[in-house]
């Protein structure tokens, strides 16, 4: 351990930090002391996690706070556990690794059912506790009565009567209501041994599940009850980004938001994750189920609720049916596809269809009645499940439908909510049905309150720049910013910007362009002494070049819906393979290809995302929000910067340690320095950080194989004679 006056070094688990790591820890510690947020970009090898975690733990220890470190990448979750274990071997920590109930439940029930089971089980335990107390009291009074006390015998008679009532209540719960055996044991056995085991090390959710399963306990509930005042919690994004879950989560920790220091890993993903957590949807099926639910209700509010829900349901059908052109309905498959309903000069088509189709005293009034009825029905279902009248906790479809419709009709253009209608085909019935969605364009509307409420947050990533964009997009005010580039020896990596075809969407289907790309890829694979990763703009183009390239290497194709983990293991098990995938898939970030796992990575084209109505809406929202500060803010914020971040993430899949080496290839002339002058409006090189631009070597496709040959020979990478150009 380093000898230093910095108190936080007691949490540093290794001999000495890197110089830049020491500097980063000092900067973060000072920022936390001032209650300021931190934006921290660090390339692979900069030790971002420990540089953030160590000063955060020290500040939390000094001020009675809790550190929450969160990620949306499973591999990083495992790394956090390893780091926390290394720290706690040196400086004792009470750490909890938390995961959602669904993955830890022993009886596989949803949240509402679980809540009802817990309530009933607690009722049973309370009744049994009262019975035990009364039985003891009855015994004492009997002894006194037998000793001659008439008052004791009268009191005993009253206790016996109360005891009979409680015994009847216990029998009613046991025979007619649903309880959870695992949670029952939580409440009735000594769980101190569990907590001794839990805090003796840093336990994963799988560890907790197995331990609890062996003991017949509910590990999820034990974790919740043991989190109060812990030093460190490792969790997923949704525990912080979902406002409802966040409130409960902080309650379990026993901390107010201002007593939380949050560390966000892979923080460039906060933008999209916030959108996902904010989106709200309502399917046509749920609307039909709500109407079926209302059909059997004898309530004065039923007609009003049915009228407004049926009108919205009919409007949804009208909106998507009217959007279909010739043959489009028949082409709908099992995936959700958006249809256009937005209008520039008036309300969206779904809202217009609803307003035109509605007849009644007023939809706001009828929605209020629908919501009241829905809440009453939901309470009735809850009580019926608790009493054992229902095997499962029934969801109130009326409440779900009415709540969404109220939100849809209340939203206005300046809320950043974009109305979307999607359609898909039900594989079991072959019917097409629709879904309405409120899509959040600007994540800052979701995350700003979070960052304002926390004591401070550290947002870290290898691709967080430009910092000003991150500040605006997620709503971080006046953060401390710092960036550290690649720390590994520069001579052991090459980054080539290839002056190949510019893969504009209009040219991707050109056979000559495809042939030039395929031939260049063949040369790259041939001169790579090991595995090659090829990232394409989409899965369809990955399939195209997988089929078009003639190579001796084993070819692997990543396809949507396949198990990426199995594919990666197959690819890395050999030493002469080429894997084709989409940059927007799951293999472009959060997955390391260390050493021989991959030697060369290629990004084909500038892989902009599919530009659909949603993306147009996001661009428009950013233009409105930030257009006064810079021209084309919508394109830059919504498209160009996320694409370059994805590209940088893909390039970072190789060269993962000081001894590692590899080539990173950008196959499109828009990455070249010449493009800045010749096609300035389309060039993207300037969006990369300065130190990364300096490493880019512009090269023609015909010279690339010679450059690769020389580089890999310098690395002594070929097992035998190198390939001939």
């Amino acid at each position: 351990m380093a000898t230093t006056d910095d108190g936080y070094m007691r949490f540093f688990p290794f001999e000495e930090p890197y110089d830049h790591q020491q500097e980063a820890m000092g900067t973060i510690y000072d920022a936390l002391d001032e209650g300021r947020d931190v934006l921290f970009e660090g390339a692979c090898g900069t030790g971002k996690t420990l540089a953030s975690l160590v000063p955060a733990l020290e500040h939390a220890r000094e001020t009675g706070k809790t550190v929450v470190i969160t990620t949306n990448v499973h591999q990083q979750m495992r790394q956090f556990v390893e780091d926390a274990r290394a720290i706690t071997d040196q400086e004792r920590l009470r750490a909890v690794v938390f995961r959602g109930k669904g993955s830890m439940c022993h009886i596989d029930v949803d949240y509402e059912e679980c809540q009802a089971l817990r309530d009933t089980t607690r009722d049973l335990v309370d009744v049994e506790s009262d019975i035990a107390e009364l039985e003891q009291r009855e015994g004492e009074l009997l002894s006194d009565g037998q000793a001659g006390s008439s008052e004791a015998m009268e009191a005993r008679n009253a206790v016996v009567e109360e005891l009979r009532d409680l015994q009847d209540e216990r029998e009613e719960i046991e025979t007619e209501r649903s309880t959870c055996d695992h949670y029952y044991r939580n409440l009735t056995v000594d769980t101190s041994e569990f907590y001794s085991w839990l805090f003796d090390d840093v336990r994963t959710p799988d560890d907790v599940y197995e331990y609890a399963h062996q003991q017949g306990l509910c590990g999820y509930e034990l974790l919740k009850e043991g989190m109060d005042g812990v030093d460190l919690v490792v969790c997923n994004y949704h525990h912080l980004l979902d406002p409802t879950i966040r409130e409960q989560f902080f309650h379990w920790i026993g901390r107010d938001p201002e007593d939380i220091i949050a560390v966000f890993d892979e923080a460039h993903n906060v933008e999209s994750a916030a959108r996902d957590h904010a989106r709200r949807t309502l399917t046509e099926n749920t609307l039909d189920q709500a109407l079926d639910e209302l059909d059997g209700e004898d309530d004065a509010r039923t007609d009003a609720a049915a009228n407004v829900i049926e009108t919205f349901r009919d409007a949804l059908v009208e909106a998507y049916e009217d959007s279909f052109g010739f043959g489009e309905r028949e082409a709908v498959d099992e995936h959700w596809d958006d249809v256009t309903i937005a209008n520039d000069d008036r309300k969206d088509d779904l809202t217009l269809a609803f307003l035109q189709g509605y007849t009644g005293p007023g939809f706001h009034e009828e929605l209020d009645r629908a919501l009241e009825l829905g809440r009453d029905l939901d309470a009735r279902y809850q009580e019926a499940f608790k009493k054992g009248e229902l095997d499962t906790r029934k969801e109130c479809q009326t409440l779900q439908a009415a709540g969404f419709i109220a939100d849809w009709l209340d939203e206005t253009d300046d809320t950043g909510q974009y109305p979307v209608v999607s359609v898909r085909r039900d594989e079991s019935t072959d019917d097409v049905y629709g879904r309405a969605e409120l899509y959040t364009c600007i994540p800052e509307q979701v995350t700003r309150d979070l960052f304002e409420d926390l004591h401070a947050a550290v947002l870290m990533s290898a691709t967080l720049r430009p910092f000003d964009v991150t500040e605006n997009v997620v709503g971080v005010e006046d953060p401390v910013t710092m960036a550290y580039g690649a720390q590994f020896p520069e001579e052991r990596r090459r980054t080539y910007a290839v002056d190949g075809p510019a893969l504009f969407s209009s040219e991707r289907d050109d056979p000559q362009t495809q042939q030039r790309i395929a031939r260049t890829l063949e040369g790259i694979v041939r001169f790579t002494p090991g595995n090659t990763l090829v990232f394409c703009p989409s899965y369809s183009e990955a399939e195209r070049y997988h089929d078009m390239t003639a190579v001796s290497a084993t070819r692997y194709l990543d396809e949507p819906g396949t198990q990426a983990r199995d594919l990666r293991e197959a690819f890395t098990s050999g030493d002469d393979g080429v894997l084709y995938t989409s940059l927007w898939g799951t293999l472009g970030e959060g997955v390391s290809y260390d050493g021989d796992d991959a030697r060369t990575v290629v990004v084909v084209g500038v892989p902009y995302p599919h530009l659909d109505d949603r993306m147009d809406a996001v661009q428009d929202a950013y233009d409105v929000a930030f257009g006064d500060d810079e021209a084309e803010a919508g394109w830059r914020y919504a498209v160009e910067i996320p694409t370059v971040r994805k590209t940088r993430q893909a390039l970072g899949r190789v060269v993962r340690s000081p001894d590692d080496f590899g080539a990173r290839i950008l196959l499109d002339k828009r990455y070249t320095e010449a493009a800045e002058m010749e096609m300035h409006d389309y060039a993207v090189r300037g969006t990369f950080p300065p130190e990364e631009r300096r490493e880019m070597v512009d090269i023609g496709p015909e010279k690339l194989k010679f450059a690769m040959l020389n580089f890999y020979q310098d690395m002594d990478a070929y097992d035998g004679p190198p390939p001939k150009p």
Side-chain angles (χ1 to χ4, degrees):
M1 177 175 171
T3 56
T4 175
D5 293 335
D6 297 323
Y8 51 75
M9 289 304 297
R10 60 176 163 161
F11 291 104
F12 191 79
F14 303 116
E15 189 67 24
E16 290 282 350
Y18 308 128
D19 290 342
H20 66 271
Q21 199 175 32
Q22 180 78 60
E23 180 182 59
M25 286 190 288
T27 301
I28 292 172
Y29 180 81
D30 291 342
L32 297 179
D33 197 45
E34 297 171 5
R36 295 178 65 189
D37 298 323
V38 179
L39 300 182
F40 178 15
E41 178 174 300
C44 177
T46 53
K48 294 185 297 295
T49 301
L50 286 177
S52 301
L53 194 53
V54 165
L57 288 170
E58 176 64 20
H59 182 77
R61 181 70 60 86
E62 293 172 350
T63 57
K65 294 177 170 49
T66 291
V67 178
V68 176
I69 186 165
T70 180
T71 184
N72 66 337
V73 178
H74 291 303
Q75 182 169 311
Q76 286 302 105
M77 185 79 76
R78 292 192 291 270
Q79 183 61 50
F80 294 163
V81 172
E82 291 178 12
D83 289 340
R85 283 173 174 164
I87 291 171
T88 199
D89 284 344
Q90 176 172 293
E91 181 74 20
R92 299 304 298 170
L93 285 178
R94 295 176 71 243
V96 168
V97 185
F98 199 73
R99 198 161 64 193
K101 188 201 79 66
S103 62
M104 295 188 69
C105 183
H106 298 268
I107 58 175
D108 193 24
V109 296
D110 64 24
Y111 180 81
E112 296 293 339
E113 289 180 275
C114 181
Q115 180 65 54
L117 287 170
R118 290 199 309 270
D119 290 346
T120 306
T121 304
R122 188 172 288 279
D123 289 345
L124 175 61
V125 171
D126 288 344
V127 168
E128 289 180 339
S129 176
D130 291 343
I131 288 174
E133 290 181 7
L134 286 178
E135 286 177 339
Q136 180 178 352
R137 178 62 177 155
E138 188 268 340
E140 294 170 350
L141 291 171
L142 178 61
S143 297
D144 292 345
Q146 290 173 340
S149 172
S150 58
E151 292 180 355
M153 292 303 294
E154 290 180 11
R156 175 182 176 273
N157 291 336
V159 168
V160 169
E161 185 66 29
E162 187 178 354
L163 192 56
R164 289 197 189 101
D165 291 340
L166 285 174
Q167 289 168 337
D168 289 342
E169 184 178 351
R170 178 179 62 186
E171 182 178 1
E172 183 267 334
I173 294 174
E174 290 176 335
T175 59
E176 299 183 19
R177 297 167 67 180
S178 301
T179 59
C180 174
D181 292 340
H182 293 82
Y183 187 54
Y184 179 85
R185 284 185 57 79
N186 283 18
L187 299 176
T188 56
V189 303
D190 182 4
T191 58
S192 58
E193 184 176 338
F194 168 82
Y195 290 111
S196 296
W197 168 84
L198 177 68
F199 294 121
D200 186 53
D201 198 348
V202 180
R203 310 294 185 180
T204 68
D206 290 337
D207 294 336
V208 173
Y209 180 92
E210 289 300 323
Y211 184 98
H213 182 70
Q214 293 172 7
Q215 303 296 321
L217 300 165
C218 175
Y220 178 75
E221 290 297 324
L222 288 174
L223 264 186
K224 282 168 50 179
E225 293 166 13
M227 290 169 63
D228 189 21
V230 294
D231 302 300
L232 174 67
V233 182
V234 181
C235 65
N236 296 314
Y237 271 4
H238 66 265
H239 290 104
L240 294 183
L241 293 181
D242 186 298
T244 302
I245 296 176
R246 180 168 71 239
E247 183 177 357
Q248 296 174 331
F249 185 60
F250 288 170
H251 174 71
W252 297 334
I253 301 173
R255 303 289 194 195
D256 293 326
E258 59 265 27
D259 294 320
I260 297 290
I261 301 166
V263 179
F264 284 84
D265 179 58
E266 303 292 350
H268 62 281
N269 287 323
V270 169
E271 175 182 2
S272 59
R275 284 201 187 97
D276 288 342
H277 283 89
R279 65 194 292 265
R280 289 168 288 168
T281 62
L282 178 68
T283 68
E284 184 179 335
N285 290 346
T286 299
L287 290 161
D288 287 337
Q289 291 164 6
L291 293 171
D292 290 341
E293 182 177 58
L294 291 169
D295 189 48
E297 288 300 319
D298 183 15
D299 189 288
R301 298 165 292 184
T302 299
D303 289 343
N307 184 42
V308 72
I309 290 174
E310 186 171 18
T311 303
F312 192 85
R313 187 258 184 212
D314 292 344
L316 173 61
V317 174
E318 179 181 336
Y320 70 71
E321 290 287 0
D322 287 351
S323 74
F324 290 140
F326 179 75
E328 290 182 347
R329 194 180 202 281
E330 291 71 25
V332 174
D333 59 20
E334 69 276 12
H335 303 103
W336 285 112
D337 286 320
D338 294 350
V339 300
T340 300
I341 63 166
N343 299 294
D344 293 334
D345 55 350
R346 62 189 188 279
K347 291 286 188 180
D348 63 90
D349 291 344
L350 172 52
T351 302
L352 290 174
F354 174 83
L355 295 175
Q356 292 166 1
Y358 176 78
T359 57
F363 64 81
H364 287 300
E365 174 187 338
E366 292 198 321
L367 269 174
D368 287 342
R369 303 193 78 187
L371 286 166
E372 290 174 2
L373 176 57
R375 283 189 283 267
D376 288 347
L377 290 174
D378 195 58
R380 186 202 304 170
Y381 298 155
Q382 169 86 350
E383 188 63 23
F385 179 70
K386 288 175 63 176
K387 290 181 177 180
E389 297 169 5
L390 294 173
D391 292 334
T392 60
R393 203 306 190 169
K394 187 176 178 181
E395 295 288 337
C396 180
Q397 308 303 320
T398 298
L399 182 59
Q400 288 192 39
F404 180 89
I405 295 169
D407 288 340
W408 181 281
L409 297 174
D410 283 346
E411 295 295 348
T412 57
D413 293 338
D414 60 357
T415 63
Q417 296 283 343
Y418 179 67
V420 179
V421 166
S422 307
V423 292
R424 67 175 294 187
R425 188 175 300 278
D426 188 325
E427 292 182 289
S428 61
T429 64
D430 202 40
D431 293 333
V432 172
Y433 66 103
R435 178 183 71 183
E437 176 183 347
L438 286 168
Y439 179 71
T440 299
C441 293
I442 302 182
E444 175 262 348
Q445 296 173 345
V446 179
T447 55
R448 179 175 292 277
D449 288 346
L450 168 64
F451 292 122
E452 287 180 348
D453 291 345
L454 296 172
H455 170 72
V458 180
L459 285 76
M460 61 180 187
S461 168
T463 57
L464 207 54
R465 286 180 284 179
F467 288 135
D468 62 322
V469 173
T470 301
E471 291 179 45
N472 290 335
V473 167
V474 301
V476 177
E477 293 287 346
D478 188 32
V480 174
T481 62
M482 55 183 173
Y484 296 93
Q487 302 298 309
F488 305 142
E490 186 174 342
E491 63 271 15
R492 299 184 69 80
R493 62 181 181 269
R494 290 290 185 274
T495 306
Y496 299 108
V498 181
D499 188 19
L503 280 182
F504 296 110
S505 58
S506 59
E507 297 183 18
R508 288 177 184 169
D509 293 329
D510 184 323
Q512 282 190 318
T513 296
Q514 294 173 10
Q515 286 296 327
R516 291 177 64 190
I517 295 296
R519 301 295 80 79
T520 303
L521 287 173
E522 288 170 359
I524 291 170
V525 174
R526 181 166 175 248
F527 284 88
T528 296
N531 290 335
T532 304
L533 280 165
V534 179
F535 290 98
C536 297
S538 65
Y539 282 110
S540 62
E541 290 190 71
E543 183 177 10
R544 169 185 294 161
Y545 291 111
H546 168 273
D547 295 343
M548 288 184 65
T549 49
V551 294
S552 60
T554 304
R555 292 178 300 164
Y556 300 87
L557 177 63
D558 184 18
E559 298 177 280
T562 60
Q563 281 290 339
R565 179 185 298 178
D566 295 342
L567 179 65
R568 182 193 179 281
E569 288 180 358
F571 170 63
T572 58
S573 64
D575 58 3
D576 187 22
V578 52
L579 170 58
Y580 301 82
T581 185
S582 167
L583 189 86
W584 299 95
T586 58
L587 296 174
E589 61 176 276
V591 181
S592 295
Y593 295 86
D594 303 320
D596 293 333
D597 286 350
R599 282 293 171 215
T600 299
V601 59
V602 189
V603 176
V604 178
V606 179
Y608 292 125
H610 177 59
L611 301 181
D612 53 16
D613 289 345
R614 287 178 194 249
M615 189 57 67
D616 289 341
V618 173
Q619 289 186 65
D620 290 343
Y622 281 145
D623 273 330
V624 170
F626 308 116
D628 291 341
D629 298 329
E630 59 179 290
E632 298 186 356
W635 171 262
R636 183 167 179 260
Y637 279 50
V639 181
E640 183 173 286
I641 289 172
T643 299
V644 170
R645 282 176 174 160
K646 276 286 188 180
T647 301
R648 295 175 63 206
Q649 285 284 333
L651 295 181
R653 294 314 91 204
V654 300
V655 191
R656 307 289 296 180
S657 71
D659 296 328
D660 205 354
F661 61 90
R664 295 95 63 87
I665 299 172
L666 298 163
L667 184 48
D668 190 300
K669 67 172 60 178
R670 286 171 288 180
Y671 293 109
T672 65
E673 189 173 16
E676 297 287 332
M677 297 294 295
E678 297 171 4
M679 47 192 312
H680 181 268
D681 290 343
Y682 304 103
V684 295
R685 190 184 187 115
T687 307
F688 287 78
E691 72 277 8
E692 294 181 17
R693 295 199 300 269
R694 286 194 295 270
E695 287 194 26
M696 292 181 186
V697 178
D698 287 4
I699 195 167
E702 68 286 349
K703 295 182 180 180
L704 178 60
K705 57 186 176 182
F706 296 100
M708 293 181 63
L709 176 63
N710 291 334
F711 170 68
Y712 282 123
Q713 280 186 312
D714 289 344
M715 295 294 104
D716 195 22
Y718 297 110
D719 290 336
K724 294 182 180 180

